Amino acid sequence: MIFVILGPQGSGKSTQGKLLAQHLGLPLIDMGDVLRKWGEGTNPTALKIQNIIKKGELLDDETLMSVFREEVNKPQHKNGFVLDGAPRTLAQARLINNEVQLNKVFYLRVPDDVNTGRLLVRGRVDDTPELIAKRLALYHEQTEPVLGFYRQTGVLEGIDGTKGIEAIFEDVKTRVEKGSKAL
């Protein structure tokens, strides 16, 4: 089983991804964590990732897919996983779709003002008001088209991400266990 959690930065993707992975006994691939870990090195890929993170930009499709392929081919992911933080572009969605068979894609719908407030409280180095605004603008421009792709393939599930953590997870869990609601 392979599930994807999508939503803008601050929507609770990581939290819901962890809860779903624990519930299903699957590993979580948090591409943000994976990329930050890759970015700790001094090789050319690491330096490229460090530079992009500092600028608040999205990693190019080729580099992201290279990291993704290496990650999903690890033995712990052979029976499935929950993916958080990818795809970020329509090209990545298509490439991922060619690599793995997705069961469901959960989209956490949350307004920008709520996301901004959540991110400012989180307080990571790259969570400045300017970089948050830039990342949300990139999300709307580059990632929202991914939703249409997954809607067409029949795997997209829209979730109200403004509710509390437990209520959101109950919605996700219900859709995994008892079928889906139309989006």
Side-chain angles (χ1 to χ4, degrees), residues 159-176:
I159 304 284
D160 179 357
T162 62
K163 298 178 183 175
I165 293 170
E166 296 80 15
I168 296 168
F169 183 60
E170 284 303 315
D171 193 358
V172 169
K173 193 167 60 170
T174 297
R175 293 176 194 226
V176 168

Side-chain angles (χ1 to χ4, degrees), residues 55-112:
K55 291 180 181 177
E57 296 175 353
L58 295 179
L59 198 60
D60 63 278
D61 298 338
E62 182 181 321
T63 305
L64 183 121
M65 287 307 297
S66 173
V67 173
F68 174 79
R69 282 186 194 101
E70 187 162 325
E71 190 65 29
V72 299
N73 286 317
K74 291 181 177 177
Q76 66 263 37
H77 301 129
K78 69 179 180 192
N79 294 321
F81 52 87
V82 175
L83 177 63
D84 162 29
R88 296 273 178 102
T89 67
L90 186 54
Q92 290 171 12
R94 290 181 173 138
L95 290 166
I96 288 172
N97 212 47
N98 291 335
E99 298 283 331
V100 295
Q101 177 66 42
L102 303 177
N103 293 81
K104 288 283 177 205
V105 174
F106 295 105
Y107 167 55
L108 302 178
R109 295 184 307 255
V110 182
D112 285 354

Side-chain angles (χ1 to χ4, degrees), residues 25-150:
L26 294 172
L28 173 68
I29 299 176
D30 180 328
M31 285 304 292
D33 287 348
V34 170
L35 292 170
R36 279 187 283 280
K37 189 172 183 178
W38 272 62
E40 291 173 357
T42 57
N43 62 56
T45 302
L47 296 175
K48 183 178 192 176
I49 291 170
Q50 291 168 20
N51 189 39
I52 288 170
I53 288 173
K54 284 178 191 170
K55 291 180 181 177
E57 296 175 353
L58 295 179
L59 198 60
D60 63 278
D61 298 338
E62 182 181 321
T63 305
L64 183 121
M65 287 307 297
S66 173
V67 173
F68 174 79
R69 282 186 194 101
E70 187 162 325
E71 190 65 29
V72 299
N73 286 317
K74 291 181 177 177
Q76 66 263 37
H77 301 129
K78 69 179 180 192
N79 294 321
F81 52 87
V82 175
L83 177 63
D84 162 29
R88 296 273 178 102
T89 67
L90 186 54
Q92 290 171 12
R94 290 181 173 138
L95 290 166
I96 288 172
N97 212 47
N98 291 335
E99 298 283 331
V100 295
Q101 177 66 42
L102 303 177
N103 293 81
K104 288 283 177 205
V105 174
F106 295 105
Y107 167 55
L108 302 178
R109 295 184 307 255
V110 182
D112 285 354
D113 61 332
V114 174
N115 290 323
T116 300
R118 290 176 178 178
L119 292 169
L120 289 171
V121 170
R122 180 173 76 176
R124 285 202 304 227
V125 174
D126 58 337
D127 285 340
T128 65
E130 297 79 22
L131 287 179
I132 290 169
K134 185 175 184 177
R135 289 196 317 259
L136 288 172
L138 277 171
Y139 173 82
H140 293 303
E141 177 187 321
Q142 296 185 13
T143 306
E144 281 184 349
V146 170
L147 302 175
F149 173 76
Y150 286 131

